[in-house]
Amino acid sequence: MTPTPTRVLIADDQHDVRSGFRMILDSQPDMTVVGEAADGIHAVDLARTLRPDVVLADIRMPRLDGLEVTRRLAAHTRVVVVTTFDLDDYVHAALRHGAAGFLLKRSGPTLLIEAVRAAMAGDTLISPQITVRLLRHLTPPATATPAPGPLTTREREIARLASHGLTNAEIAARLVITPGTVKTHLANVQAKLGVRNRVGIAAWSWQSGLATPGTLPAQPPHPAPPARPDTS
Protein backbone atom coordinates (compact mmCIF):
# COMPACT_ATOMS: atom_id res chain seq x y z
CA MET A 1 0.00 0.00 0.00
CA THR A 2 1.43 3.38 -1.07
CA PRO A 3 1.83 5.76 1.91
CA THR A 4 -0.09 9.04 1.82
CA PRO A 5 2.13 11.89 0.57
CA THR A 6 3.04 14.68 2.97
CA ARG A 7 0.71 17.62 2.30
CA VAL A 8 2.55 20.97 2.16
CA LEU A 9 1.28 24.56 2.17
CA ILE A 10 3.67 27.25 0.87
CA ALA A 11 3.39 30.79 2.26
CA ASP A 12 5.59 33.41 0.58
CA ASP A 13 4.79 36.80 -0.92
CA GLN A 14 6.96 36.15 -3.99
CA HIS A 15 5.28 34.17 -6.76
CA ASP A 16 8.61 32.92 -8.17
CA VAL A 17 9.61 31.52 -4.79
CA ARG A 18 6.31 29.71 -4.37
CA SER A 19 6.55 28.27 -7.89
CA GLY A 20 10.13 27.12 -7.29
CA PHE A 21 9.27 25.44 -4.00
CA ARG A 22 6.22 23.78 -5.59
CA MET A 23 8.34 22.32 -8.40
CA ILE A 24 10.90 20.96 -5.92
CA LEU A 25 8.37 19.42 -3.54
CA ASP A 26 5.94 18.09 -6.14
CA SER A 27 8.88 16.27 -7.77
CA GLN A 28 9.13 14.09 -4.65
CA PRO A 29 6.97 10.94 -4.60
CA ASP A 30 6.23 11.39 -0.89
CA MET A 31 5.15 15.06 -1.04
CA THR A 32 2.40 17.14 -2.60
CA VAL A 33 1.73 20.88 -2.43
CA VAL A 34 -1.92 21.47 -1.49
CA GLY A 35 -1.98 25.27 -1.45
CA GLU A 36 -0.15 28.59 -1.70
CA ALA A 37 -0.55 31.85 0.17
CA ALA A 38 0.95 35.25 -0.59
CA ASP A 39 0.38 36.76 2.87
CA GLY A 40 0.27 35.63 6.48
CA ILE A 41 -3.48 35.95 7.08
CA HIS A 42 -4.25 33.88 4.00
CA ALA A 43 -1.65 31.32 5.14
CA VAL A 44 -3.33 30.90 8.53
CA ASP A 45 -6.79 30.66 6.94
CA LEU A 46 -5.64 28.09 4.37
CA ALA A 47 -3.83 26.05 7.01
CA ARG A 48 -6.99 25.83 9.10
CA THR A 49 -9.08 24.92 6.05
CA LEU A 50 -6.74 22.54 4.20
CA ARG A 51 -5.04 21.08 7.29
CA PRO A 52 -1.63 20.48 5.65
CA ASP A 53 0.99 18.36 7.35
CA VAL A 54 3.69 21.02 6.92
CA VAL A 55 3.60 24.79 6.29
CA LEU A 56 6.60 26.50 4.71
CA ALA A 57 6.43 30.12 5.91
CA ASP A 58 8.50 33.10 4.82
CA ILE A 59 9.22 35.61 7.60
CA ARG A 60 8.51 38.92 5.86
CA MET A 61 4.99 38.72 4.43
CA PRO A 62 2.17 41.28 4.16
CA ARG A 63 -0.60 41.45 6.77
CA LEU A 64 1.01 38.91 9.11
CA ASP A 65 4.67 37.90 9.30
CA GLY A 66 5.94 34.35 9.36
CA LEU A 67 6.82 34.45 13.05
CA GLU A 68 3.23 35.24 13.98
CA VAL A 69 2.02 32.60 11.50
CA THR A 70 4.26 30.13 13.30
CA ARG A 71 2.92 31.16 16.71
CA ARG A 72 -0.69 30.73 15.60
CA LEU A 73 -0.22 27.39 13.83
CA ALA A 74 2.60 25.53 15.58
CA ALA A 75 0.38 23.94 18.23
CA HIS A 76 -1.45 21.97 15.54
CA THR A 77 0.70 22.15 12.37
CA ARG A 78 4.40 21.68 11.68
CA VAL A 79 5.81 25.02 10.46
CA VAL A 80 9.20 25.31 8.77
CA VAL A 81 10.39 28.91 8.46
CA VAL A 82 12.20 29.57 5.17
CA THR A 83 13.73 33.03 4.78
CA THR A 84 16.37 35.17 3.12
CA PHE A 85 17.22 36.90 6.38
CA ASP A 86 20.02 35.30 8.39
CA LEU A 87 19.34 36.99 11.75
CA ASP A 88 19.68 35.29 15.12
CA ASP A 89 16.65 37.16 16.51
CA TYR A 90 14.48 35.57 13.84
CA VAL A 91 15.89 32.11 14.55
CA HIS A 92 15.33 32.38 18.30
CA ALA A 93 11.81 33.79 17.86
CA ALA A 94 10.83 31.10 15.36
CA LEU A 95 12.07 28.27 17.57
CA ARG A 96 10.48 29.86 20.64
CA HIS A 97 7.15 29.96 18.77
CA GLY A 98 7.44 26.25 17.97
CA ALA A 99 8.92 26.17 14.45
CA ALA A 100 9.78 22.68 13.21
CA GLY A 101 12.72 23.99 11.19
CA PHE A 102 14.52 27.14 10.08
CA LEU A 103 16.10 27.33 6.62
CA LEU A 104 17.77 30.00 4.56
CA LYS A 105 16.41 30.19 1.03
CA ARG A 106 19.93 29.81 -0.32
CA SER A 107 20.26 26.43 1.40
CA GLY A 108 19.09 24.69 -1.78
CA PRO A 109 16.48 22.11 -2.74
CA THR A 110 18.03 19.16 -0.91
CA LEU A 111 17.80 20.79 2.52
CA LEU A 112 14.28 22.02 1.74
CA ILE A 113 13.17 18.46 1.08
CA GLU A 114 15.06 17.18 4.13
CA ALA A 115 13.43 19.87 6.31
CA VAL A 116 9.93 18.73 5.34
CA ARG A 117 10.81 15.10 6.03
CA ALA A 118 12.47 16.02 9.33
CA ALA A 119 9.37 17.95 10.41
CA MET A 120 7.20 14.95 9.62
CA ALA A 121 9.53 12.78 11.72
CA GLY A 122 9.12 15.15 14.68
CA ASP A 123 12.61 16.54 14.25
CA THR A 124 13.92 20.08 13.66
CA LEU A 125 16.29 20.91 10.81
CA ILE A 126 18.20 24.19 10.88
CA SER A 127 20.43 25.55 8.12
CA PRO A 128 24.05 24.50 8.80
CA GLN A 129 25.34 28.10 8.88
CA ILE A 130 22.83 28.98 11.59
CA THR A 131 23.53 25.79 13.55
CA VAL A 132 27.16 26.79 13.97
CA ARG A 133 26.24 30.17 15.47
CA LEU A 134 23.62 28.70 17.79
CA LEU A 135 25.98 26.06 19.11
CA ARG A 136 28.73 28.58 19.75
CA HIS A 137 26.35 30.40 22.08
CA LEU A 138 24.55 27.42 23.61
CA THR A 139 27.22 24.72 23.77
CA PRO A 140 30.70 25.89 24.81
CA PRO A 141 33.19 23.43 23.28
CA ALA A 142 35.35 21.34 25.59
CA THR A 143 38.99 22.28 25.97
CA ALA A 144 40.26 18.73 26.37
CA THR A 145 41.46 16.69 23.42
CA PRO A 146 38.43 14.69 22.26
CA ALA A 147 38.43 10.92 22.64
CA PRO A 148 38.14 9.02 19.35
CA GLY A 149 34.74 7.63 20.33
CA PRO A 150 32.78 5.38 17.99
CA LEU A 151 33.68 7.18 14.75
CA THR A 152 36.27 6.28 12.16
CA THR A 153 38.90 8.83 11.14
CA ARG A 154 36.97 9.71 7.98
CA GLU A 155 33.68 10.02 9.89
CA ARG A 156 35.31 12.35 12.43
CA GLU A 157 36.71 14.45 9.59
CA ILE A 158 33.28 14.78 7.98
CA ALA A 159 31.55 15.43 11.31
CA ARG A 160 34.03 18.23 12.03
CA LEU A 161 33.39 19.88 8.66
CA ALA A 162 29.62 19.51 9.00
CA SER A 163 29.76 21.11 12.45
CA HIS A 164 31.35 24.20 10.87
CA GLY A 165 28.33 24.61 8.59
CA LEU A 166 29.71 23.13 5.35
CA THR A 167 27.16 21.55 3.04
CA ASN A 168 27.55 18.03 1.65
CA ALA A 169 28.79 19.47 -1.65
CA GLU A 170 31.38 21.66 0.11
CA ILE A 171 32.61 18.75 2.22
CA ALA A 172 32.84 16.57 -0.88
CA ALA A 173 34.89 19.20 -2.71
CA ARG A 174 37.33 19.56 0.19
CA LEU A 175 37.82 15.81 0.60
CA VAL A 176 37.70 14.98 -3.12
CA ILE A 177 34.82 12.52 -2.72
CA THR A 178 31.24 12.55 -3.98
CA PRO A 179 28.34 14.25 -2.16
CA GLY A 180 26.67 10.84 -2.03
CA THR A 181 29.63 9.44 -0.12
CA VAL A 182 29.42 12.35 2.32
CA LYS A 183 25.72 11.68 2.82
CA THR A 184 26.42 8.00 3.54
CA HIS A 185 29.12 8.87 6.08
CA LEU A 186 26.83 11.38 7.81
CA ALA A 187 24.09 8.74 8.04
CA ASN A 188 26.59 6.37 9.68
CA VAL A 189 27.68 9.12 12.08
CA GLN A 190 24.05 9.79 13.06
CA ALA A 191 23.47 6.10 13.71
CA LYS A 192 26.64 5.70 15.80
CA LEU A 193 26.02 8.83 17.86
CA GLY A 194 22.29 8.25 18.23
CA VAL A 195 21.41 11.68 16.82
CA ARG A 196 18.82 12.52 14.20
CA ASN A 197 20.38 15.20 12.00
CA ARG A 198 23.29 17.59 11.41
CA VAL A 199 22.32 19.63 14.47
CA GLY A 200 22.93 16.60 16.64
CA ILE A 201 26.24 15.87 14.90
CA ALA A 202 27.35 19.47 15.39
CA ALA A 203 26.32 19.45 19.06
CA TRP A 204 28.34 16.28 19.69
CA SER A 205 31.34 17.73 17.83
CA TRP A 206 31.31 20.93 19.89
CA GLN A 207 30.65 19.18 23.20
CA SER A 208 33.44 16.66 22.60
CA GLY A 209 35.95 19.28 21.49
CA LEU A 210 36.18 17.81 17.98
CA ALA A 211 35.16 21.22 16.61
CA THR A 212 36.16 24.53 18.16
CA PRO A 213 35.58 28.18 17.20
CA GLY A 214 37.71 29.48 14.37
CA THR A 215 39.41 26.16 13.73
CA LEU A 216 37.93 25.01 10.44
CA PRO A 217 40.39 22.43 9.16
CA ALA A 218 42.67 23.70 6.41
CA GLN A 219 41.84 22.76 2.85
CA PRO A 220 43.90 19.66 2.09
CA PRO A 221 46.01 19.91 -1.04
CA HIS A 222 44.63 18.08 -4.05
CA PRO A 223 46.89 15.28 -5.23
CA ALA A 224 48.96 16.19 -8.23
CA PRO A 225 47.87 14.50 -11.47
CA PRO A 226 50.14 11.70 -12.67
CA ALA A 227 52.91 12.79 -14.99
CA ARG A 228 52.19 12.26 -18.65
CA PRO A 229 54.64 9.94 -20.39
CA ASP A 230 57.22 11.68 -22.54
CA THR A 231 56.41 10.72 -26.11
CA SER A 232 58.81 13.14 -27.77
Side-chain angles (χ1 to χ4, degrees):
M1 182 176 178
T2 304
T4 303
T6 298
R7 303 170 73 253
V8 183
L9 170 66
I10 301 171
D12 194 291
D13 62 342
Q14 298 182 52
H15 178 269
D16 290 349
V17 172
R18 297 197 307 273
S19 297
F21 285 178
R22 178 182 280 272
M23 288 180 60
I24 292 167
L25 299 177
D26 277 345
S27 71
Q28 300 302 302
D30 58 337
M31 298 179 193
T32 183
V33 175
V34 296
E36 298 180 17
D39 66 72
I41 292 292
H42 191 202
V44 171
D45 290 343
L46 277 182
R48 290 172 175 168
T49 301
L50 299 175
R51 298 189 178 277
D53 299 304
V54 177
V55 175
L56 298 179
D58 188 19
I59 283 187
R60 296 190 180 179
M61 291 187 292
R63 303 176 69 196
L64 198 68
D65 66 36
L67 297 176
E68 182 61 19
V69 169
T70 301
R71 189 188 70 79
R72 295 189 186 189
L73 296 180
H76 307 287
T77 307
R78 303 168 184 89
V79 181
V80 176
V81 174
V82 188
T83 181
T84 304
F85 303 100
D86 185 6
L87 300 175
D88 285 350
D89 287 348
Y90 285 162
V91 182
H92 295 152
L95 297 178
R96 187 169 60 249
H97 290 333
F102 193 102
L103 291 183
L104 301 178
K105 290 181 180 178
R106 64 177 182 269
S107 296
T110 299
L111 276 184
L112 181 68
I113 292 165
E114 289 180 2
V116 173
R117 290 180 178 148
M120 286 300 294
D123 203 358
T124 301
L125 192 150
I126 304 173
S127 283
Q129 306 94 321
I130 297 171
T131 298
V132 171
R133 291 206 312 273
L134 290 178
L135 289 172
R136 284 179 178 174
H137 290 297
L138 301 178
T139 312
T143 56
T145 301
L151 305 185
T152 66
T153 299
R154 176 63 95 184
E155 289 167 351
R156 286 165 56 79
E157 188 174 27
I158 289 175
R160 183 186 299 113
L161 293 172
S163 73
H164 280 278
L166 274 66
T167 65
N168 288 6
E170 290 168 338
I171 294 172
R174 290 176 66 93
L175 301 181
V176 199
I177 56 179
T178 68
T181 300
V182 174
K183 183 177 181 180
T184 298
H185 280 302
L186 286 174
N188 292 338
V189 171
Q190 289 174 205
K192 288 182 177 182
L193 298 180
V195 298
R196 302 181 69 178
N197 56 26
R198 299 172 79 102
V199 177
I201 293 174
W204 177 85
S205 297
W206 285 75
Q207 287 173 329
S208 70
L210 180 65
T212 54
T215 59
L216 179 64
Q219 174 78 46
H222 292 286
R228 298 174 65 89
D230 186 357
T231 57
S232 60

